[in-house]
Amino acid sequence: MLASLERLTRLKGGLRDAAPEDIATLKSALARFMVRRTKKQLNSMVDLEPDAYRLPTGRVCRYPEHHSQVYELNESASDVKLAGEILAIARSLVGITHFEKALYLPRAMLDPDEC
């Protein structure tokens, strides 16, 4: 497994150029170290031992209760249609998750009436 990981670090094209068996080895190695817990599970752990999750300020770290609300947007039919078109186009995009920051057009490229 270590040889596969070392090979992956030397690839110039990153994981795109990795062999499928090397990717499988990497996923297997990561799965051994990753622990996934839900908010409810984490809060249960805090409840069992609150002092272990206490900040220097005295506050106990935990996920807050979530209270969802539904409300009407009263959008027009044309807005609903446009949102559907945007959603369809967005679902066809590939690689969009690689952007870490929001993309903005420079002011010089914007329509002067929209600034």
Side-chain angles (χ1 to χ4, degrees):
M1 175 170 33
L2 205 49
S4 293
L5 295 176
E6 287 175 356
R7 251 192 331 276
L8 288 172
T9 60
R10 290 191 300 267
L11 292 175
K12 291 195 190 294
L15 294 178
R16 288 183 306 239
D17 295 340
E21 59 271 10
D22 287 333
I23 296 293
T25 300
L26 178 61
K27 285 182 179 180
S28 172
L30 289 174
R32 288 187 10 216
F33 295 101
M34 290 177 61
V35 177
R36 294 185 180 160
R37 291 196 169 87
T38 65
K39 292 177 187 179
K40 186 175 181 178
Q41 289 171 320
L42 290 168
N43 279 341
S44 294
M45 293 166 58
V46 173
D47 292 339
L48 291 174
E49 203 175 350
D51 287 336
Y53 300 92
R54 194 172 302 280
L55 292 172
T57 61
R59 188 173 72 83
V60 176
C61 295
R62 59 182 300 111
Y63 280 98
E65 286 185 34
H66 180 74
H67 301 284
S68 62
Q69 294 180 347
V70 177
Y71 52 93
E72 293 294 322
L73 296 177
N74 299 318
E75 65 270 39
S76 67
S78 63
D79 284 349
V80 171
K81 182 177 182 270
L82 183 59
E85 292 172 14
I86 292 170
L87 179 61
I89 292 169
R91 285 186 172 154
S92 72
L93 296 175
V94 177
I96 198 71
T97 60
H98 295 279
F99 296 112
E100 294 181 13
K101 294 181 181 176
L103 299 177
Y104 297 97
L105 281 175
R107 286 180 87 55
M109 293 182 73
L110 292 173
D111 182 344
D113 294 331
E114 293 181 17
C115 292

